[in-house]
Amino acid sequence: MDPLRLCIALSPLAAYVLLLGLINLSSRSLVTTGGRDLAALALGISGLVIVGPMELFFPEVAVERFGGYVWLMLLGMYGLVVVLLMLILRPRLVIYNMTVEQLRPTLASVVSELDADARWAGECLVLPRLGVQLHVEPFLAMRNVQLVSSGPHQSFAGWRRLERTLVKTLKGASSPPNPYGFSLVFFGLLMVALITFSVVSDTEAVAQALEEMLRQ
């Protein structure tokens, strides 16, 4: 793989891995939605998509009319696909730097505040007043917990209210850094070093590959 394509493929991925590493090394919990989590992952693998499927199925005929702007159209189409997936996926909340044991008391407090009719059944939770049904899924390696919707009938307003309350309640919560974060930061920095070395060592190849990609 030439230096330019290596840079395109690994730069977003390195940024994504470094971000995950820093989040895991933080002592504060982070609450995000499944949509935002998916968007971050889509950005992280966008470089691999560009040098993979986009180049493989590149519309050569369109270049004759639009030139290098075809890449903007392809990136726009990729963005629209990601937005579509964000819209059709069922609601989900991801809580980083938190184990199930740590989250349980906080979640119980939040649930009692939001819905007095809430019911637990093992790892499943039903909040009838909010129109929310979910189950708890831990991810031990990354030390995060996901609250995943159960069933098709969900209230997005209820999920939004649950998210806001969790964010407010967990604002002062802290936990020890996740050692797994050090390996993520290491691999992220390793990719950055590899990209930098490849680009600096052969700038002419980068310029030539860029001209070839833009089909100018």
Side-chain angles (χ1 to χ4, degrees):
M1 184 180 291
D2 62 75
L4 177 65
R5 287 174 173 80
L6 183 68
C7 179
I8 293 173
L10 294 186
S11 292
L13 184 61
Y16 178 69
V17 171
L18 281 172
L19 177 61
L20 281 183
L22 293 176
I23 289 174
N24 278 269
L25 291 177
S26 172
S27 60
R28 302 184 63 180
S29 300
L30 173 69
V31 181
T32 186
T33 64
R36 289 196 289 266
D37 200 50
L38 174 64
L41 176 61
L43 286 174
I45 65 171
S46 59
L48 297 174
V49 173
I50 291 173
V51 301
M54 284 191 188
E55 270 209 303
L56 182 62
F57 300 105
F58 192 81
E60 299 285 351
V61 177
V63 177
E64 299 176 3
R65 181 172 182 180
F66 300 106
Y69 291 106
V70 173
W71 282 107
L72 293 178
M73 298 178 188
L74 292 173
L75 291 173
M77 184 177 67
Y78 177 67
L80 290 174
V81 171
V82 173
V83 171
L84 176 62
L85 290 175
M86 290 171 61
L87 292 174
I88 64 176
L89 286 179
R90 291 180 179 177
R92 177 169 57 97
L93 294 178
V94 184
I95 301 97
Y96 286 94
N97 290 340
M98 184 72 63
T99 63
V100 174
E101 291 74 19
Q102 292 172 318
L103 180 63
R104 275 276 188 178
T106 303
L107 186 57
S109 173
V110 168
V111 167
S112 62
E113 176 186 340
L114 293 177
D115 193 339
D117 297 330
R119 302 185 303 273
W120 280 96
E123 298 298 325
C124 298
L125 173 64
V126 178
L127 295 89
R129 294 186 181 180
L130 288 185
V132 171
Q133 302 177 48
L134 60 87
H135 61 275
V136 181
E137 289 187 2
F139 186 15
L140 298 180
M142 294 292 292
R143 203 172 68 185
N144 66 34
V145 181
Q146 297 189 43
L147 306 180
V148 186
S149 60
S150 302
H153 304 295
Q154 303 287 336
S155 168
F156 290 95
W159 275 93
R160 179 60 180 156
R161 190 176 171 192
L162 176 62
E163 178 198 354
R164 288 198 303 265
T165 308
L166 270 176
V167 170
K168 181 180 177 181
T169 306
L170 292 174
K171 183 172 291 187
S174 62
S175 60
N178 184 4
Y180 187 71
F182 289 106
S183 60
L184 290 173
V185 170
F186 172 76
F187 283 114
L189 292 176
L190 186 63
M191 284 188 281
V192 171
L194 178 61
I195 293 166
T196 305
F197 175 78
S198 300
V199 172
V200 172
S201 62
D202 198 349
T203 55
E204 291 184 4
V206 173
Q208 182 178 353
L210 180 61
E211 182 177 349
E212 178 188 336
M213 284 189 71
L214 296 178
R215 305 298 198 274
Q216 291 180 348

